Amino acid sequence: MAERRLSPADAAWLYSEWDKNNQTVSSLMWLDREIDPAVFTALVQERIVDKYPTFSQRLRLSRNPLMMPHWEDDPDFDIAHHIEVLHLPAPGSKAQLADLVSEQRGDLLDRDRPLWKMYVIQGYEGNTTAIHSRIQHSIADGWALVRLVLSLCDDRENIERPTTVDKQRPRKRDIMGKVMDPVTSVVRHPTDALEETLSIALHPKRFIEFGTDLFGDAKDTTGETAEAAKNALEFLFSPRPGKTILHGRVTGAKKVDWIDPIPLQQIKDIGRAQGATINDVLLAVLTNALRKYLVEKDALTVDDLFTAMPVSLRSPKADLPRTLGNRFGLVPVLLPVGIADPVEQLLEIKRRVDDLKESQMPIVSFGLISVSALATPDVERLIHLVNQDHSIGVTTNVPGPRHSIYVAGGRVLGSWGMGGLSGNMNLSFGIYTLDGMLNFAVHSDTGITDDPERILHFFLESIEDPKSEVLETA
């Protein structure tokens, strides 16, 4: 394939990578059995590498600092460089896996090779497999990574050993259509979308059209122009609610931890009792967890915490383009940690998110992020640093399939995904639903927050608080 320059949006996420904070999107899956790495490798070759050229291309910077970098074919490409089989020592505990994933999350990907890596980790919990997938943000956004990972899955246990097919020929066994049906139906039915996630709840039709033909079909009315200008100022001058012990200078040492999957139904019940969405409830639970963490440290010094939430601008009904890329905006969300009552927290979160649903912030932020890449890399990193100075990090919420899925014959018991960070951003939260279960993970820089497991503890505790107050009362 001929050389292809990065889009401004893709270059922005490349430039915003720091030595101590990498812009790597991650996904972790753990299975009910140990799988054959050769079968998994063949799946990746057939369903990802053969279909998306960027997975066999390396990055090359332009000699002209004002020109975007470009992708070129890696003449020495070997999939074995990108799929590594590792073995956890006995007993293969969750703590051991978390330590390994934490170390991997802190590593920069090799810029001399295509910017992705997958780890097939054997011996988890004795005799099962976990799979940690990483791509540099310049290849694609988190929503795309979820779809890529799901393309490796099937909706039944028994699979035929895959063989590489012509990259233009439809793949009958690729469950993207089947597995993504529950996800794409979320956008086909906006009411369900409001129940799932902020990323597709903010006027889905508007964002889908925008993502399909950027700027081309935009309706420019005076009101929308004024709103866009207002949102641009709000994005450029992001909220500055003050700093806490969750802010600081990153060291590069990372720690990742996650909860065991829990039933999603309880979250739905809380939301319905208060006329709130799943996303509202999860943000309120996260808010209360962070409040409890700060109170435990005697460090509750602000009324709000600022986190950024990615909002997909893709049409889930459309196939991913062969060039992949980034099509998402960022929404600044203020978490009201100053409110002690969990129900009042939920209602305030709902009010704030409802306001965001009427804004053009995701579209505006996508444009501004893209424009920032037209500066030199150093200037672009400075823009990110200033803009994110008061942010604790990024919170990603993605709905997955509503039924069981399998990869290389193993059933996926749990999964999460999370985005990369830049500047001195400390925390990345990953929320993912699968087969009626809720998955939640947290990534922190240990130089700022060395005990993210306490946030997980308070997250689970904070689900019980509104349950006892809302459901038992009802």
Side-chain angles (χ1 to χ4, degrees):
M1 184 175 178
E3 293 181 358
R4 177 176 58 85
R5 292 205 177 275
L6 275 69
S7 72
D10 298 341
W13 296 108
L14 175 69
Y15 292 160
S16 65
E17 183 165 79
W18 295 59
D19 288 343
K20 296 180 179 179
N21 238 354
N22 63 66
Q23 281 287 14
T24 303
V25 184
S26 285
S27 167
L28 182 72
M29 299 188 295
W30 53 99
L31 314 179
D32 69 343
R33 68 196 66 183
E34 195 166 88
I35 63 171
D36 183 349
V39 173
F40 178 77
T41 299
L43 283 168
V44 176
Q45 180 72 49
E46 176 197 6
R47 299 183 182 182
I48 295 182
V49 176
D50 288 348
K51 186 171 183 180
Y52 303 102
T54 314
F55 277 80
S56 58
Q57 294 178 322
R58 60 188 181 183
L59 186 73
R60 282 295 176 262
L61 300 179
S62 172
R63 294 180 181 178
N64 184 342
L66 297 180
M67 296 289 288
M68 297 293 111
H70 63 268
W71 300 109
E72 67 176 20
D73 291 341
D74 180 0
D76 300 318
F77 176 77
D78 184 343
I79 197 171
H81 294 149
H82 299 272
I83 298 181
E84 184 176 352
V85 181
L86 302 173
H87 295 267
L88 286 177
S93 65
K94 179 185 171 186
Q96 289 174 293
L97 178 61
D99 286 344
L100 179 59
V101 172
S102 299
E103 181 180 353
Q104 293 166 349
R105 279 279 294 177
D107 291 339
L108 291 170
L109 292 168
D110 185 355
R111 292 276 179 108
D112 291 328
R113 300 187 188 278
L115 294 175
W116 65 279
K117 186 90 172 181
M118 293 182 178
Y119 301 92
V120 179
I121 304 167
Q122 306 286 49
Y124 178 47
E125 295 190 335
N127 57 354
T128 68
T129 298
I131 301 169
H132 184 204
S133 306
R134 303 179 67 213
I135 64 170
Q136 214 285 335
H137 220 318
S138 56
I139 292 181
D141 52 53
W143 180 259
L145 176 62
V146 169
R147 295 186 65 175
L148 288 171
V149 170
L150 287 177
S151 76
L152 300 174
C153 300
D154 294 272
D155 59 0
R156 57 184 180 273
E157 177 180 341
N158 297 320
I159 65 168
E160 298 174 3
R161 191 180 182 90
T163 57
T164 302
V165 298
D166 184 276
K167 60 184 71 177
Q168 299 297 327
R169 195 174 82 199
R171 291 175 283 108
K172 294 181 180 180
R173 295 199 51 75
D174 184 351
I175 69 156
M176 180 57 69
K178 295 181 179 179
V179 170
M180 289 302 293
D181 274 348
V183 183
T184 57
S185 67
V186 172
V187 174
R188 294 192 188 107
H189 306 285
T191 301
D192 290 340
L194 295 173
E195 283 293 305
E196 291 286 352
T197 171
L198 181 67
S199 66
I200 45 179
L202 309 176
H203 285 292
K205 184 173 183 294
R206 181 196 302 177
F207 295 151
I208 288 172
E209 290 173 348
F210 181 87
T212 303
D213 186 9
L214 300 182
F215 304 112
D217 297 326
K219 296 180 180 179
D220 186 13
T221 66
T222 302
E224 288 183 348
T225 300
E227 180 188 355
K230 173 177 175 288
N231 293 155
L233 289 173
E234 290 171 345
F235 182 77
L236 288 172
F237 301 99
S238 298
R240 299 183 179 276
K243 296 187 177 181
T244 67
I245 60 171
L246 299 175
H247 301 81
R249 288 191 174 276
V250 296
T251 63
K254 311 301 180 183
K255 190 171 184 179
V256 180
D257 205 351
W258 59 92
I259 65 171
D260 294 326
I262 60 174
L264 182 63
Q265 187 60 47
Q266 56 192 322
I267 303 297
K268 293 181 178 180
D269 292 342
I270 294 170
R272 288 169 182 164
Q274 293 295 310
T277 69
I278 290 175
N279 186 74
D280 294 336
V281 177
L282 291 173
L283 283 178
V285 168
L286 177 58
T287 299
N288 201 30
L290 292 172
R291 173 189 167 84
K292 290 185 175 190
Y293 180 86
L294 293 174
V295 168
E296 180 181 66
K297 306 286 187 180
D298 193 24
L300 182 59
T301 56
V302 298
D303 291 327
D304 298 289
L305 290 174
F306 165 33
T307 184
M309 289 197 73
V311 178
S312 177
L313 301 178
R314 297 181 185 275
S315 169
K317 291 183 288 185
D319 290 338
L320 287 173
R322 280 168 53 79
T323 54
L324 297 172
N326 288 270
R327 291 291 181 92
F328 74 102
L330 288 173
V331 172
V333 178
L334 288 175
L335 306 177
V337 292
I339 298 176
D341 182 84
V343 176
E344 290 182 18
Q345 276 183 347
L346 172 57
L347 296 177
E348 179 59 18
I349 284 286
K350 173 177 165 50
R351 184 190 68 78
R352 295 181 182 188
V353 172
D354 285 347
D355 287 344
L356 286 171
K357 290 174 187 175
E358 301 301 321
S359 79
Q360 297 186 40
M361 182 67 77
I363 298 174
V364 169
S365 67
F366 176 83
L368 292 174
I369 290 169
S370 299
V371 167
S372 73
L374 301 179
T376 65
D378 288 341
V379 171
E380 204 272 348
R381 279 192 287 269
L382 179 61
I383 293 172
H384 272 262
L385 183 63
V386 172
N387 181 259
Q388 299 163 352
D389 188 42
H390 282 248
S391 172
I392 60 171
V394 175
T395 302
T396 303
N397 180 7
V398 177
R402 295 170 183 163
H403 59 262
S404 296
I405 56 176
Y406 300 81
V407 59
R411 185 165 72 90
V412 179
L413 298 179
S415 179
W416 53 255
M418 61 176 59
L421 299 171
S422 66
N424 284 309
M425 299 174 84
N426 172 27
L427 299 169
S428 185
F429 300 109
I431 301 170
Y432 185 67
T433 55
L434 173 64
D435 195 18
M437 304 295 283
L438 171 66
N439 297 264
F440 176 70
V442 58
H443 153 122
S444 71
D445 187 277
T446 60
I448 304 173
T449 304
D450 63 358
D451 55 350
E453 64 276 4
R454 294 300 295 161
I455 297 177
L456 294 181
H457 169 80
F458 289 129
F459 183 88
L460 293 172
E461 189 175 278
S462 295
I463 293 175
E464 298 300 319
D465 291 344
K467 275 177 60 178
S468 59
E469 189 166 341
V470 173
L471 300 182
E472 293 179 11
T473 300

